[in-house]
Amino acid sequence: MNSQKLKLTVRLLAVACVAALPFTATAQDAAAPAAHSTRPAYGSSPSRWDIFAGYSYLAPKGTIDTPMPNGQTIGFNYKSVDWGAILSVARYFNKNVGIEAIGDEHILNQTPCNCGTGSTYSPNDFSGGSGGIIFRFPTGNLTPFVHALAGAELVGGPEFQTDKWGPVLTAGGGADYNTPLFNHHLAIRVFQADYQYIHENYGPGVLGGRGNINAARLSTGFVYHIGSIAPPTPVTMACSANPTTVFPGENVTLTGNAGNLDPKANTVYNWSGEGVTGNGSSATVNTASLAPGTYTVKCGVKQGKKGQEGLKPWESADSSTTFTVKQFEPPTISCAANPSTIKPGETSTITATGVSPQNRPLTYTYSAASGTVSGNGSSATFNSTGAPAGPVEVTCNVSDDKGQTASSGTSITIQAPPPPPQPHTQALCSITFSKDKARPTRVDNEAKACLDDVALDLQKQPDAKAVVVGNQDSKEQAKMDRQQKLAQRNKHLKVQNFAAERAVNTKDYLVNDKGIDASRISVMTGSEPGQSVSNYLVPAGASFSQDVQGASPVDESTIKPLHRKEIGTTTPHKSHKAASKSAAN
C-alpha cells in the first residue's frame, strides 16, 4: 500500500470514530439510569447508535482490458482479497429506520511494483466509504438488518494501474446477536453479506483501461450499542385494601406494591383518601366516622435523587383501590300465593317470610296492581273482585325498626270467563209453491202464517237479518237450461229463474206487507229440489255462508217481484203464461 492510500484509509477510519465519540458519550449518559436495573430484551429497547468494526473479505469479479507497452491489450482479472477491515456507524431515528456510514480497506497480499513512474503501487486493493439507509428488525436477542448505500471506492488495477476513485453502490444485510456483555451493549455481527457494484476508469494509454466490477463483501465482527430508543422501564404501582368490605368502625389495611424500582434511587410513597393515615408502602383507614358506601384510596410512588423524585416521566406511578363500608344488613323477604290461579271474584292467601340478620322487629305491608289485599302480618288475603283477567302482581314489603326495607313479589293469575257462544244461522219455516200450477212463483195465502212468523222473529231481534233461499224442481231447472241455450242465439229472449222469482216474491211480501226493512233481507237461490223457499234467521255475529252451503246471491235488479195485489188480475197471468209458452217453444 502506498503512503497516499495509507493516509486516506487512516483518515476515513479516524473521521468515522471521531464523529461517533460525542454521540457515544451523550447516549451513555442518557442510558446511565437503566444500568441500575435489569435491562429488558434488546428487541423492546433497541439502541440509538451502533458502531461496528471487524474483518472483511472481498471477492471482486471484473476484467480490465489493459493496453501493454508492446501494443497488445490483455485482459486482467481482479483477485479476491483475504485481508480487510471494515468500520460502520449507524444512527437510528426509531426502532427500525436509520442512516449508516461505512468505511472499508481491502489489501491484496502481493509485493508492490515500481512501474517506472516514480511511485510504488499495490495492485488489486480496495478502500473507500459509503453512506445510506439501514433497516433493522430487533427481535429478542437477534437483530436482522438490510441496508443500501452509495459512495466512492479507491481501487488499484489488477495490473498495477494507478489507484483511481470510482462510484460504488452497495446493497446487502446481515444479523447481529446481542450478548449480555457490557450490560447488553456488546453484540456480535454474525455475518454481513453485501453486493457491490464499482466502476473504475484508469484512463487511456499503457496500463490504462476501464471496467465494471461486481463484488461480494463478507464481514463479521463486533457491534457496540449506544443509547436507547425507548426510555428506561417506568416504575409501576399497585395498591390493595384488606378487607375490601367492612362495617363502620372496622379498620382497613392498605398495601402498596411498587415495581421496577432503582435500589440506588430515593423512593417516596404517598396516600390520599377519607380516613387514610400512614406513609411508606402501607397505610390504614379508620372507618368509624365513615357513612356506608364505596370509597376510593389513591396511592403513588416516586423515585429519583432525594428532593427531585418523580421529575422524569418514568420515575413516578399512581394507582388506586377501593373498599366498601356497608350498612347493618337489611331484612330479606320472600312472597308466595296459594292458590296462584283463581276465578274472577275468588280469593288467594298471600304468605310473606321476612328475615332480619340482626333479629330486628319486622312490619309487613302489601299492595296489588289490581284487586285488594288485606292483612298486616306475615299472612294476607288477596281479593280479585273488580280485577281484570290475567296475571296480577302482588308486592310484599317488610321493614325493620332501623327503617331498612325489603320487597318481594308474587303473581296471581285470574282466569278469564269463557267466551259467549258463537251465534249461528237458524233455519225457520219453509213455504211451498206447488199448488198454484198457473202461478208457481206466487206467494199464496197459505204462506202467510210462515212469513208472519219470520217477520215477528226479525222484529224481536232488530240486529238480526233474514235470508230467503228459493228452490226449483228438476223440470223447472231443465226448462231454464233450455232457455239459456236459446238466449245464446237470441239475446232478447227472457230466461225464467223460478227459484229466484220465488225468493224475490217472498222478500217483497215481508217488505211491503210486513214492513221489514229491505236491507235486512238477502235473496238467494239454493240447490235443494222442489218448488219452495227456505227462510233463515241470521243473528248478529253469525255467518250465513259458513253455516249454510250451496246458496247463491240473486241479482234483484234483473227480477221484478210479483206483488200480491196483482193476484187475481188476468193481464199478469196471461202475460206470464205467454212468456212461459214462448220460452218453452
Side-chain angles (χ1 to χ4, degrees):
M1 179 186 299
N2 58 32
S3 59
Q4 283 185 335
K5 194 165 188 179
L6 178 59
K7 290 179 181 179
L8 179 61
T9 302
V10 172
R11 189 180 300 115
L12 287 171
L13 296 177
V15 169
C17 292
V18 171
L21 286 176
F23 299 104
T24 302
T26 301
Q28 285 180 329
D29 290 341
H36 298 299
S37 60
T38 303
R39 185 181 178 92
Y42 180 76
S44 61
S45 182
S47 58
R48 178 75 65 180
W49 292 85
D50 281 354
I51 299 178
F52 164 59
Y55 164 79
S56 181
Y57 165 81
L58 188 71
K61 184 177 181 182
T63 301
I64 301 296
D65 293 331
T66 306
M68 303 303 293
N70 59 7
Q72 293 183 338
T73 299
I74 301 176
F76 291 93
N77 294 324
Y78 284 93
K79 300 179 178 59
S80 60
V81 185
D82 298 332
W83 298 96
I86 186 169
L87 174 68
S88 70
V89 178
R91 199 276 189 189
Y92 290 94
F93 303 106
N94 54 42
K95 182 178 179 181
N96 301 107
V97 182
I99 56 175
E100 182 182 32
I102 295 180
D104 63 352
E105 173 71 30
H106 297 86
I107 305 170
L108 183 64
N109 188 15
Q110 181 175 339
T111 303
C113 167
N114 189 330
C115 299
T117 61
S119 300
T120 301
Y121 301 97
S122 296
N124 206 93
D125 57 348
F126 294 77
S127 61
S130 299
I133 191 167
I134 183 169
F135 299 90
R136 66 178 174 183
F137 310 95
T139 55
N141 290 325
L142 190 65
T143 304
F145 67 90
V146 293
H147 56 193
L149 309 100
E153 193 81 6
L154 185 64
V155 181
E159 187 55 26
F160 300 101
Q161 284 90 342
T162 303
D163 292 354
K164 294 288 185 180
W165 285 99
V168 59
L169 299 176
T170 303
D176 297 338
Y177 176 76
N178 303 289
T179 73
L181 300 176
F182 298 97
N183 195 27
H184 299 269
H185 285 287
L186 187 66
I188 298 174
R189 182 148 293 178
V190 180
F191 76 93
Q192 177 176 314
D194 296 316
Y195 163 78
Q196 290 188 301
Y197 170 78
I198 307 168
H199 176 74
E200 294 295 342
N201 187 355
Y202 295 102
V206 177
L207 299 182
R210 60 191 296 170
N212 298 315
I213 305 167
N214 295 297
R217 183 176 68 188
L218 300 177
S219 309
T220 186
F222 295 95
V223 179
Y224 192 74
H225 301 308
I226 302 173
S228 176
I229 294 294
T233 304
V235 299
T236 61
M237 182 63 173
C239 51
S240 60
N242 184 37
T244 57
T245 303
V246 295
F247 288 106
E250 298 178 345
N251 287 335
V252 177
T253 300
L254 304 172
T255 303
N257 295 304
N260 299 326
L261 294 177
D262 181 357
K264 296 182 180 181
N266 191 49
T267 303
V268 177
Y269 293 88
N270 57 80
W271 299 89
S272 63
E274 293 189 56
V276 178
T277 58
N279 52 33
S281 60
S282 64
T284 58
V285 182
N286 185 352
T287 64
S289 61
L290 299 183
T294 299
Y295 295 85
T296 298
V297 176
K298 295 181 179 180
C299 58
V301 63
K302 297 179 180 180
Q303 70 167 182
K305 294 181 180 181
K306 192 168 185 178
Q308 300 180 354
E309 297 88 356
L311 294 181
K312 298 177 181 178
W314 56 85
E315 292 180 338
S316 63
D318 298 306
S319 185
S320 64
T321 187
T322 60
F323 65 91
T324 301
V325 178
K326 61 181 181 179
Q327 259 184 328
F328 292 106
E329 298 178 43
T332 60
I333 188 172
S334 61
C335 193
N338 184 31
S340 60
T341 301
I342 59 177
K343 296 178 180 179
E346 294 183 343
T347 61
S348 175
T349 299
I350 309 300
T351 302
T353 304
V355 177
S356 171
Q358 290 81 38
N359 293 319
R360 300 285 183 182
L362 301 177
T363 301
Y364 295 88
T365 59
Y366 302 87
S367 63
S370 60
T372 58
V373 184
S374 58
N376 56 10
S378 61
S379 179
T381 300
F382 170 76
N383 191 324
S384 64
T385 301
V392 176
E393 291 295 323
V394 176
T395 302
C396 306
N397 307 294
V398 67
S399 61
D400 61 15
D401 59 343
K402 296 294 183 180
Q404 300 179 111
T405 63
S407 298
S408 182
T410 186
S411 179
I412 301 172
T413 300
I414 302 176
Q415 293 178 333
Q422 176 69 29
H424 291 284
T425 301
Q426 303 173 18
L428 303 178
C429 59
S430 298
I431 57 177
T432 181
F433 294 80
S434 60
K435 295 182 178 180
D436 191 344
K437 302 299 182 180
R439 292 166 293 184
T441 63
R442 171 181 172 272
V443 176
D444 59 17
N445 291 332
E446 292 185 7
K448 288 179 57 179
C450 169
L451 297 181
D452 290 347
D453 290 340
V454 172
L456 183 61
D457 288 334
L458 289 172
Q459 292 168 354
K460 292 179 179 179
Q461 301 184 43
D463 57 348
K465 294 184 179 182
V467 178
V468 292
V469 181
N471 301 295
Q472 58 190 9
D473 59 19
S474 57
K475 291 182 179 180
E476 292 171 332
Q477 180 67 44
K479 183 178 181 179
M480 186 179 71
D481 293 341
R482 289 194 303 271
Q483 291 175 346
Q484 287 176 339
K485 289 181 180 181
L486 293 174
Q488 292 178 357
R489 296 193 298 270
N490 183 2
K491 296 182 179 181
H492 299 288
L493 181 65
K494 180 181 177 182
V495 177
Q496 185 175 10
N497 188 332
F498 294 92
E501 290 179 5
R502 290 174 182 136
V504 168
N505 292 334
T506 302
K507 175 179 178 179
D508 181 70
Y509 174 81
L510 292 172
V511 172
N512 293 308
D513 290 301
K514 303 305 296 180
I516 304 300
D517 187 353
S519 63
R520 297 179 63 192
I521 304 173
S522 299
V523 179
M524 294 189 176
T525 59
S527 57
E528 293 183 4
Q531 297 173 320
S532 64
V533 167
S534 299
N535 299 293
Y536 296 91
L537 183 68
V538 184
S543 174
F544 177 80
S545 60
Q546 293 181 359
D547 296 334
V548 179
Q549 307 295 323
S552 301
V554 174
D555 184 1
E556 297 182 59
S557 65
T558 62
I559 300 177
K560 302 302 178 181
L562 179 63
H563 300 295
R564 285 179 53 80
K565 64 182 180 179
E566 297 172 348
I567 299 176
T569 61
T570 57
T571 302
H573 173 71
K574 291 181 178 180
S575 175
H576 176 74
K577 185 175 182 181
S580 299
K581 182 177 181 180
S582 175
N585 294 334

